[in-house]
Amino acid sequence: MAMLTGIATLEEKYIELCKKHGTVPNTSILSAFFEAEDKKSRNQRCVMNLLVDRVMYDDFHPLLELCNEINNASEVEGIDLSVRSSCSLEDQYVLSLIRSVNQKLELVDVHDCFGTNFWRDVFSQGLSCEVLNVRSLHFRKLNIVGEFARLHTLILDSNRVTGFGEGCFSCMPNLTCLSMCDTVVSDLWTASAALLKLPSLEVLRFQIWICCSDSPTPLKPQSSDENAFNESNSRIEADFSGVFQQMDPEQDDLETHMELNAEVFMREKVRKGKMLDQTNDVGLKYISTKASPICSKKHYRIYMINSLPKLKVLDNLAIRKSDRDRATETYSENFEHLPYRRKNKESVVRVLEKREKRSSRWKSQSSYTRSLCAARMGLSAWPLLHSIPFSSRVQDESRSLSPRQFEYHPLDPSLMVYGTLDGEVVVLNHESGKILRYIPSHGVQSSILGLCWLKTYPSMVIAGSANGSLKLYDIQKASSTLNTTTHTTSGSVTFDEFDQLTSVHVNSTDKLFLASGYSKDVALYDIGSGTRLQVFANMHQEHINVVKFSNHSPSVFATSSFDKDVKLWDLRQEPSQPCYTASSTKGNVMVCFSPDDRYLLTSAVDNEVRQLLTVDGRLHLNFDIVPTGSPMNYTRSYYMNGNDYIISGSCDESMVRVCCAQTGRRLRDVSLEGNGLEFSMMFVQSLRGDPFREFNMSVLATYTRPSSVSEIVKVNLLAPRDHIEEQSCGLHCYPSNSMGG
């Protein structure tokens, strides 16, 4: 057996290497030798801690050769590399040092003082370390695809990570502990899908539950699963003391008090800023610290326990058998694993084979379509998001078109109309992004807030502006070029203005339309004669944001108001009294009928979404979406796939929720992502389900950056994210507001 090179001998070699390269030995490296010798004398593991941020350029070559010596037979059992402040070495030099250590590399502790190429190399090529701690990382999407075969602990706390790439964590077979506290991760679906790629994951945390007691009784000892974090963290001097204190896994009676509802307390803590007493009967209190936004999602703990069957500890609380049993039950009550209540994933090929064989299961085309949708949605947790790449530059001007409202065409699956913040009306092929017709604004520029196609005259569209302008356009007579100098009437009909307009809607026979706005009144117009027939005064106590005709009854319509009421009306009766009134707890942003008119879908401020029976206004479903606490979080909801699902989004959030319209169960959340490398959030200003394509929708989204404008993002839940390369128009953004639907 070869003799091991002693630490003293290695130190002598290092001094000789420094003489060879004409430099003075680095004091921090000499200190590392001293500490290693001290550990050896006390029969501890001989691990050297090298502070890379204290290494100068003159130190690099001697240190690189020293690492090669250490990798050979030596008494040094492992090397920890730390970068705790700005580093004078360039990225490629640091990477060379890290890779030179190879199989003796144990801990890499760094913060983001390196460039993008450094991290791309690390994440794509991998490292041989056992513990990786990365702080202050500014990547929005984490995509670690390189080989990390020896890694057992990954700490990504206090980073700006918002989500995961589809290949993330695919080469970490031995990772058992993952910490992502104080990040910006918020999506349960993509997070759990990424974490499922970790076959050995046992300990996970997105927050730290600290267990306190009114009495001086000490906390219970840690389990072996927790020690992985604490052993690693003690070596990097991170403050994780007491992080993984757990309740006794055998004490199921404590679970009676916890009720597996940690997320409820988390929401209350965030909202009230208080530490909540969760277990009064046993004298314990829990407070959450360093929580990522995902922790505030409803049933977060339930969802994670059910989705990650091998997980043993979540947020420093042990997972017991009773937890898993309850999680399974609660998950089935609140979530749809696959659409249309399909239980198990089935391949698309298998579905097609059954159809060809005329399986008895296929009783109808609808049954086949639903199974095919379930199979395609099960392929990926990352749906395809694609900004419509329309030609956005207006001739002879430096500005860009900025959408403010849009509607799918009722008959042509490829067409969409949108109105801009400057009062233009644009018709485009949303599949190709090609603009087909352009109608410039005339006079004072004012945002288009109301749009509605006529069904029996499919070339006609009504547009209403915030300044009260109401026009009926024939798009066949509109210009096909983006030219603001050509003043054409576009075959338009001008109606009497409705001041401060926010909404217009045409009835099912295309004979009448209604307008509402920042008033308590609603105006009725006759399309054929171009006249205003009547103004219904004082229909609500506050302004009426949205008015909608039913889809099949030409005289029935609904109004939603910020007075917290939704009312149903019938023109066959003098609208002095509504058919009924249904109230919300907050101001109503909008209302719409289900495609078959069986239901009314109401959306009040801050995610209060409810489904009523149209016949009498009784509550059918409360979708129970968690509020943010913001009085300016204007929520809008529409139907998708006919009456089957609803989609809901709010102007202070970057998430679109998809829920079953029959059970209220959540099918999926879709997180919107901004373009570019810099951190940017997108928020939902409006949205529509695609009337021709199952599980497709479009979202009018805005950015937080003042230099960006809104864009229309198409979402396909049945196509994986890598189906086509994501594109973006690099547009500009304007603030969201409550106007219109």
Side-chain angles (χ1 to χ4, degrees), residues 394 399 401 424-426 437-440 478-479 481-484:
V394 180
R399 63 185 177 83
L401 299 175
E424 300 128 315
V425 176
V426 181
R437 294 290 186 270
Y438 171 76
I439 303 171
S479 172
T481 61
L482 300 182
N483 192 338
T484 58

Side-chain angles (χ1 to χ4, degrees), residues 13 18 89 218 341 398 575 676 693 709:
K13 286 189 176 183
C18 289
L89 293 179
R341 308 183 195 181
S398 59
R693 299 165 181 85
V709 291

Side-chain angles (χ1 to χ4, degrees), residues 79-81 105-110 127-134 148 150-155 175-177 227-236:
I79 294 182
D80 292 348
L81 293 178
L105 184 63
E106 294 195 355
L107 166 69
V108 175
D109 173 28
V110 293
L127 294 175
S128 61
C129 60
E130 297 179 359
V131 179
L132 178 60
N133 181 41
V134 181
F148 290 80
R150 298 174 63 230
L151 190 70
H152 62 71
T153 300
L154 177 59
I155 302 170
L175 189 76
T176 57
C177 303
N227 292 333
F229 269 122
N230 291 329
E231 179 183 347
S232 304
N233 292 329
S234 65
R235 285 157 52 195
I236 61 175

Side-chain angles (χ1 to χ4, degrees), residues 105-304:
L105 184 63
E106 294 195 355
L107 166 69
V108 175
D109 173 28
V110 293
H111 75 92
D112 188 11
C113 61
F114 303 109
T116 301
N117 290 335
F118 175 90
W119 292 112
R120 283 180 176 164
D121 188 287
V122 169
F123 292 158
S124 62
Q125 301 300 318
L127 294 175
S128 61
C129 60
E130 297 179 359
V131 179
L132 178 60
N133 181 41
V134 181
R135 303 176 306 281
S136 304
L137 193 65
H138 291 283
F139 277 73
R140 291 186 295 109
K141 181 183 290 185
L142 194 67
N143 201 24
I144 307 178
V145 297
E147 185 174 355
F148 290 80
R150 298 174 63 230
L151 190 70
H152 62 71
T153 300
L154 177 59
I155 302 170
L156 296 169
D157 297 344
S158 302
N159 290 302
R160 301 305 294 169
V161 173
T162 62
F164 308 91
E166 288 195 63
C168 193
F169 303 142
S170 56
C171 295
M172 296 183 180
N174 297 306
L175 189 76
T176 57
C177 303
L178 174 63
S179 180
M180 297 192 69
C181 301
D182 193 26
T183 64
V184 198
V185 175
S186 61
D187 189 355
L188 286 171
W189 281 260
T190 54
S192 61
L195 295 171
L196 274 171
K197 295 184 176 71
L198 298 170
S200 303
L201 185 66
E202 296 181 350
V203 181
L204 171 67
R205 69 184 188 194
F206 282 103
Q207 63 184 332
I208 301 171
W209 282 108
I210 298 176
C211 178
C212 314
S213 176
D214 293 330
S215 66
T217 306
L219 294 171
K220 294 179 174 64
Q222 297 171 323
S223 75
S224 58
D225 290 321
E226 306 155 24
N227 292 333
F229 269 122
N230 291 329
E231 179 183 347
S232 304
N233 292 329
S234 65
R235 285 157 52 195
I236 61 175
E237 301 178 2
D239 183 17
F240 290 118
S241 56
V243 162
F244 273 89
Q245 306 288 353
Q246 297 181 66
M247 296 182 293
D248 187 345
E250 302 302 322
Q251 279 192 275
D252 278 346
D253 59 318
L254 288 179
E255 177 54 36
T256 303
H257 304 286
M258 289 297 293
E259 288 294 331
L260 260 178
N261 279 327
E263 73 280 352
V264 174
F265 300 108
M266 176 60 206
R267 292 200 305 275
E268 290 299 315
K269 174 182 175 293
V270 171
R271 215 164 22 231
K272 300 180 180 179
K274 297 178 179 180
M275 180 179 72
L276 296 173
D277 188 350
Q278 299 184 45
T279 50
N280 289 325
D281 293 357
V282 293
L284 297 176
K285 291 182 179 180
Y286 289 84
I287 181 172
S288 171
T289 63
K290 299 184 179 180
S292 298
I294 193 173
C295 303
S296 65
K297 300 299 180 181
K298 189 174 182 182
H299 301 302
Y300 151 73
R301 186 171 174 84
I302 293 285
Y303 191 94
M304 284 298 177

Side-chain angles (χ1 to χ4, degrees), residues 475-546:
I475 63 171
Q476 290 183 340
K477 299 179 181 180
S479 172
S480 59
T481 61
L482 300 182
N483 192 338
T484 58
T485 60
T486 302
H487 295 282
T488 173
T489 59
S490 304
S492 66
V493 176
T494 301
F495 298 88
D496 291 345
E497 292 186 356
F498 188 95
D499 194 34
Q500 294 184 297
L501 178 146
T502 60
S503 173
V504 298
H505 201 245
V506 178
N507 74 347
S508 59
T509 60
D510 287 344
K511 294 181 178 179
L512 306 171
F513 77 89
L514 294 165
S516 68
Y518 276 101
S519 76
K520 304 172 186 178
D521 308 335
V522 169
L524 177 66
Y525 294 82
D526 181 83
I527 295 175
S529 63
T531 60
R532 182 166 61 194
L533 299 178
Q534 193 171 355
V535 175
F536 306 116
N538 298 315
M539 301 188 87
H540 283 267
Q541 297 302 308
E542 293 189 31
H543 80 263
I544 302 167
N545 196 50
V546 169

